Structures are given as structure tokens and as C-alpha cells.
Amino acid sequence: MSALTNLFADAAPPERGERFDVVLRHRNLVVERIVSSDVITPTPYEQAQDEWVVLLQGEADLEVSGTRHTLRPGDHVFLPAGTPHTVLRTAAGTVWLAVHLHPCPHD
């Protein structure tokens, strides 16, 4: 068993933007904690891997394939590889958990 850690430890938001911390990396799976400030530059993403993301704390507006969604704690969404998405707005101290499932090398 690895060391016990807490997702909310050291979760102070950066002054600007978002901070991405890898929580777990195993084979083709990557789990990240994302901590957001309330000053972000909306950046469009279209990733090669599948991603499941859950909002743990705070609030955010996320645009997925042209549709805007407001996320609150507990809300989650699955983003298949190639799905365009953009974080439009976040409250200070918003905490996310993102699970990335990268393609296997033999796929």
C-alpha cells in the first residue's frame, strides 16, 4: 500500500489559472487533481484519451461540444477521446478529479 494522502491537502488555488497534480499513474490510467483559481483563460481541449471528470468543490462552467454546462460539487461528465471541451469559468478554490484513460499501445 502506498502512503495515505488527501485530495484536499495542499489545495490552495493558484493566483491565476489551474494547477494539475498527478495523483496516480498506472499503465494507461492517469488520475489528476485539478485546482482552479477564479482567473482562468478559457482553453479549448480535444484530447486523444478518454476522460471522466468530477467536480469535488466549487463551481465551474464547462462547454462540451458547443453546449454550456454549470457544474457543482458531485457533478461529473465523461468526455470520449476527441470531444471538444473548454473550461469557461471557475470559482476560486474549485477542485476537480480527472481520470484519463489513454489508448493501450496495442489498440
Side-chain angles (χ1 to χ4, degrees), residues 41-99:
T41 300
T43 304
Y45 293 97
E46 195 168 320
Q47 300 164 167
Q49 72 274 7
D50 293 332
E51 178 180 9
W52 177 82
V53 65
V54 60
L55 194 87
L56 300 176
Q57 174 179 294
E59 185 175 290
D61 288 339
L62 178 67
E63 184 177 283
V64 179
S65 299
T67 302
R68 187 179 188 132
H69 305 275
T70 298
L71 281 73
R72 293 182 178 82
D75 290 340
H76 56 92
V77 62
F78 178 67
L79 303 164
T83 301
H85 59 285
T86 305
V87 178
L88 302 172
R89 178 193 65 83
T90 55
T94 295
V95 178
W96 315 69
L97 189 66
V99 178

Side-chain angles (χ1 to χ4, degrees), residues 2-73:
S2 36
L4 180 67
T5 57
N6 187 291
L7 286 172
F8 297 104
D10 188 32
E15 287 185 32
R16 302 179 66 80
E18 297 181 299
R19 187 176 73 242
F20 299 82
D21 303 313
V22 174
V23 174
L24 173 69
R25 189 181 305 271
H26 181 74
R27 297 186 183 144
N28 62 324
L29 177 75
V30 177
V31 179
E32 291 179 321
R33 176 188 68 175
I34 305 165
V35 182
S36 306
S37 76
D38 58 349
V39 181
I40 64 164
T41 300
T43 304
Y45 293 97
E46 195 168 320
Q47 300 164 167
Q49 72 274 7
D50 293 332
E51 178 180 9
W52 177 82
V53 65
V54 60
L55 194 87
L56 300 176
Q57 174 179 294
E59 185 175 290
D61 288 339
L62 178 67
E63 184 177 283
V64 179
S65 299
T67 302
R68 187 179 188 132
H69 305 275
T70 298
L71 281 73
R72 293 182 178 82

